[in-house]
Amino acid sequence: MGYSLAYWPILSLSLLTMVLTAATETGFAALMRPLMDGSFVARDPDLIRWIPLAILGLFIVRGVAEFVSNYTMKYVGRQVVKTLRERLFWHLLHMPVGAYDNTPSGLLVARLTYHVEQVAGAATDSLTILVRDTLTVLGLLGWMLYLNWRLTLAVLIIAPLVAIVVSRVTRRFRRLSRRIQSSMGDVTQVANEVIDGQREVKIFNGQAYEQARFDQINERNRRLHMKLVAAQSGHMPLVQFIVALALALIVWLATLQPTLESLSVGTFVSFITAMLLLLTPVRRLTNVNVLLQKGIAAGQNIFALLASPTETDLGKQSVKRARGHIEFRQVEFAYTPAQGAVLHDITLTLQPGETVALVGRSGSGKTTLASLLPRFYRPQHGSITLDGIPIEQYRLYDLRAQIAYVGQHVTLFDDTLAHNIAYGQRGPEREARIQAAAEAAYAMEFINALPHGLQTRVGENGILLSGGQRQRIALARAFCKDAPILILDEATSALDTESERYIQAAMENLRRNRTTLVIAHRLSTIESADRIAVMQQGRIVELGTHQQLLDQEGIYARLYRLQFNTEAPASGLGL
Ligand SMILES: Nc1ncnc2c1ncn2[C@@H]1O[C@H](COP(=O)(O)OP(=O)(O)O)[C@@H](O)[C@H]1O
Ligand SMILES: [Mg+2]
């Protein structure tokens, strides 16, 4: 309602025309009296002439009024859809990383598509029905009271019956439509997974499993819909039957002696017409519940999402270009209280321009540690500072502007290579910078071989490129951003030895003059780091240069020997 009310001038026009529509409805019933009594009983020549014109005029007014009220209502409805989508999309862009971890993406997409439509439907369609049909009912009832109040009272006795039936069914609708919505989310979710993971599904012969899973959800969705349909279609005839009862009762009452005397043919026909005209708006009014309940259920989902917290950005400190001095001090972090801390007592300093490598088993917390820096998550204890200032005190935008990131899973957008490389960048000399970045990442050689060079579209998530090519594009993106801090999280994992040599050179280029946090499995790729931190179960257990760590004869030395020995025969360096 709040969203609709923003368009109150248009809404008022809509309401005004609704009043007109309702008035013409009553007008039509009223017209029946002179039509019957004047034209057919009294045979008044004047009436015989103007009644057909009156009918025409009535329906012209009605047609125009209906058009305007529908058009304006839909106009407001679409505006509401647009505004809600805008807000939701903004919210999605600003939701914390943790909220994404905990919500299936299909559900988020359903909020944006399906649920928004339902809310808009409730906000406008049901408003139309509530206003127009209520007015129509009031108009018709008023006319009926004027014609014969005794008969009208009889009609009104039926009304509570209708109300009871309606309220019975209402609760069921609400429950059902909420369940339908969540099952729509399931349908989208499974479909998304299959579409994204189609290669895995094929190679692991998961078709039968996915089909079965989908069939189950699909069937559940159908069943829920059928329950809703049953409730919906069952209660409509029920209401109609009650109205028919009323009709029978009225006809019986009207034909009783004293009343029959006082009723003209025209009055009776007009009364019955008004009563029959009541049917449709009353039925719509009892059905408006479904629409409203659906809308409310969808609204609860949408507004819960909109009310969920966005990333905290209370920092005031702005910074153009940081020096790149980073300090972790006794940092402790847990994703969820239940899971317990995955980082313990992390203390680590990175001097400006220094490269620190993180090594350790998978699951030891390397990625987690790196993701604290751009404030994807907030540590529960300890502090992280950039150039001596806690990172929470920076504006989020400014903080993230200091960091370039290349991860294991390169995300490419369905756009040209140039746009992918310059993603998020604006400003002059873009073309030149893209070119330079692509060259520095050793990506130009394969880009030049593509039909449209940098203007080649990469397809959804870069499906048209190889893993190594994608990683080089990701490196080019990092070059293009030219940030003082660089995070490389297993950025070379998708590469063969040949392309790794290129990437290695590209990374050396990239690391120059930047504070770099590099995470790598292959220890050969990090030997040149200034210092190496070895992580184990969320703690830094060893810290030093490559040589120092080897001399320490600890975990790093053991890991190194292990890799060195297995890799030695292949690279021909074995002793
Ligand atoms: N989004 C997440 N939510 C909850 N737990 C997570 C999440 N990401 C990682 N973890 C857990 O945190 C621990 C460290 O993971 P991670 O930092 O990815 O390790 P690494 O990068 O060293 O392989 C693991 O036990 C992992 O299960
Ligand atoms: Mg990792």
Side-chain angles (χ1 to χ4, degrees):
M1 279 304 170
Y3 282 81
S4 308
L5 286 181
Y7 301 90
W8 65 268
I10 298 170
L11 271 183
S12 348
L13 178 63
S14 194
L15 293 185
L16 193 77
T17 47
M18 280 181 206
V19 175
L20 263 180
T21 315
T24 55
E25 195 93 349
T26 313
F28 182 69
L31 209 56
M32 283 298 137
R33 190 155 76 149
L35 175 77
M36 284 295 153
D37 289 348
S39 307
F40 293 102
V41 181
R43 316 227 162 162
D44 179 339
D46 278 348
L47 273 179
I48 288 177
R49 220 171 302 120
W50 74 254
I51 286 256
L53 290 178
I55 293 177
L56 270 184
L58 200 70
F59 276 82
I60 287 171
V61 172
R62 188 195 162 85
V64 172
E66 263 201 350
F67 174 82
V68 175
S69 73
N70 275 339
Y71 186 87
T72 46
M73 255 310 162
K74 290 285 183 233
Y75 177 87
V76 174
R78 292 331 292 180
Q79 292 286 357
V80 171
V81 168
K82 189 185 133 198
T83 314
L84 274 176
R85 289 217 169 112
E86 226 166 62
R87 303 236 169 142
L88 279 170
F89 192 73
W90 185 92
H91 202 87
L92 288 182
L93 287 177
H94 292 87
M95 233 163 63
V97 175
Y100 276 102
D101 293 348
N102 299 324
T103 324
S105 63
L107 216 62
L108 291 175
V109 173
R111 299 267 193 284
L112 201 60
T113 53
Y114 184 69
H115 295 183
V116 166
E117 293 286 344
Q118 305 245 294
V119 167
T124 58
D125 294 357
S126 50
L127 188 66
T128 307
I129 293 172
L130 278 174
V131 174
R132 189 191 55 202
D133 291 340
T134 308
L135 285 175
T136 308
V137 168
L138 286 180
L140 289 170
L141 275 178
W143 178 246
M144 286 159 70
L145 275 172
Y146 166 75
L147 287 179
N148 192 310
W149 64 270
R150 274 202 199 87
L151 284 183
T152 312
L153 277 187
V155 172
L156 285 180
I157 289 169
I158 311 301
L161 258 177
V162 177
I164 289 168
V165 174
V166 172
S167 71
R168 276 277 166 82
V169 187
T170 299
R171 249 191 249 140
R172 192 168 159 76
F173 280 138
R174 191 164 173 168
R175 232 185 12 248
L176 279 174
S177 45
R178 197 173 304 129
R179 276 163 63 194
I180 285 181
Q181 279 169 14
S182 84
S183 88
M184 266 323 280
D186 292 344
V187 169
T188 330
Q189 178 70 16
V190 175
N192 275 348
E193 274 182 24
V194 167
I195 291 163
D196 290 345
Q198 50 123 350
R199 280 159 191 272
E200 279 79 2
V201 170
K202 288 199 170 77
I203 232 160
F204 290 99
N205 280 328
Q207 283 104 334
Y209 169 74
E210 295 293 351
Q211 189 70 56
R213 191 155 75 112
F214 188 78
D215 285 351
Q216 207 181 357
I217 289 164
N218 206 15
E219 171 62 15
R220 191 170 102 86
N221 185 259
R222 184 196 65 83
R223 230 180 266 158
L224 284 174
H225 266 290
M226 285 325 290
K227 275 191 190 161
L228 189 69
V229 167
Q232 223 165 0
S233 20
H235 115 294
M236 218 189 302
L238 205 60
V239 171
Q240 277 171 346
F241 179 72
I242 291 169
V243 176
L245 256 180
L247 183 64
L249 200 69
I250 299 312
V251 172
W252 178 69
L253 281 176
T255 47
L256 289 180
Q257 257 322 308
T259 323
L260 195 57
E261 301 285 90
S262 69
L263 276 182
S264 74
V265 177
T267 307
F268 183 69
V269 171
S270 186
F271 188 90
I272 293 295
T273 307
M275 212 184 98
L276 291 178
L277 284 177
L278 269 180
L279 270 178
T280 319
V282 164
R283 200 187 57 210
R284 267 202 301 255
L285 278 172
T286 60
N287 259 331
V288 78
N289 266 304
V290 187
L291 210 62
L292 265 179
Q293 298 308 330
K294 265 193 201 163
I296 288 169
Q300 282 171 346
N301 283 328
I302 288 178
F303 291 106
L305 181 60
L306 280 179
S308 71
T310 50
E311 290 184 300
T312 34
D313 185 12
L314 301 173
K316 294 274 179 291
Q317 185 76 36
S318 64
V319 56
K320 269 259 170 294
R321 190 176 178 87
R323 285 190 308 122
H325 181 277
I326 301 167
E327 188 173 358
F328 290 84
R329 206 177 304 150
Q330 297 178 334
V331 169
E332 182 171 316
F333 173 72
Y335 282 100
T336 57
Q339 188 187 15
V342 294
L343 292 177
H344 309 267
D345 195 23
I346 298 287
T347 297
L348 180 67
T349 307
L350 287 83
Q351 300 299 334
E354 190 188 23
T355 296
V356 171
L358 289 178
V359 301
R361 285 224 191 94
S362 105
S364 56
K366 306 181 295 291
T367 300
T368 307
L369 179 58
S371 57
L372 294 183
L373 209 48
R375 275 166 55 189
F376 284 163
Y377 304 96
R378 217 194 138 111
Q380 279 81 13
H381 295 289
S383 71
I384 306 171
T385 59
L386 170 63
D387 294 351
I389 299 169
I391 56 172
E392 296 81 32
Q393 290 182 15
Y394 288 100
R395 292 169 202 270
L396 200 53
Y397 183 93
D398 282 7
L399 174 69
R400 289 180 180 165
Q402 309 306 316
I403 303 170
Y405 167 86
V406 184
Q408 180 173 7
H409 303 286
V410 178
T411 300
L412 294 182
F413 300 89
D414 186 8
D415 205 332
T416 62
L417 281 169
H419 276 121
N420 267 293
I421 291 172
Y423 183 75
Q425 307 276 311
R426 265 164 297 191
E429 62 196 60
R430 240 177 104 221
E431 292 307 314
R433 271 173 57 201
I434 294 171
Q435 181 90 20
E439 258 154 29
Y442 293 92
M444 230 34 227
E445 36 130 16
F446 83 83
I447 291 176
N448 280 331
L450 292 170
H452 303 292
L454 275 167
Q455 299 309 319
T456 310
R457 293 189 74 94
V458 297
E460 199 179 335
N461 212 3
I463 202 84
L464 306 178
L465 301 176
S466 76
Q469 289 172 338
R470 289 159 54 148
Q471 230 149 20
R472 274 183 272 178
I473 297 298
L475 285 170
R477 190 188 281 161
F479 266 112
C480 200
K481 187 168 180 185
D482 188 27
I485 300 168
L486 176 66
I487 300 173
L488 300 168
D489 190 351
E490 305 192 358
T492 56
S493 54
L495 301 179
D496 51 274
T497 323
E498 177 66 25
S499 9
E500 195 184 326
R501 205 159 296 155
Y502 282 120
I503 304 282
Q504 205 61 43
M507 287 202 310
E508 297 297 329
N509 285 344
L510 194 51
R511 267 158 47 182
R512 208 163 297 140
N513 300 323
R514 288 175 227 272
T515 310
T516 306
L517 196 61
V518 54
I519 300 172
H521 266 310
R522 262 178 271 181
L523 300 185
S524 56
T525 60
I526 53 158
E527 271 175 42
S528 63
D530 296 310
R531 279 184 305 153
I532 296 167
V534 182
M535 292 193 67
Q536 198 171 42
Q537 294 181 345
R539 292 174 198 279
I540 294 179
V541 288
E542 288 175 18
L543 181 64
T545 63
H546 173 67
Q547 199 52 50
Q548 286 170 345
L549 292 185
L550 281 187
D551 294 343
Q552 250 181 44
E553 292 289 339
I555 297 169
Y556 180 78
R558 208 165 56 234
L559 267 176
Y560 186 78
R561 298 240 166 72
L562 211 64
Q563 289 201 2
F564 186 71
N565 281 339
T566 50
E567 279 173 11
S571 57
L573 288 170
L575 296 170

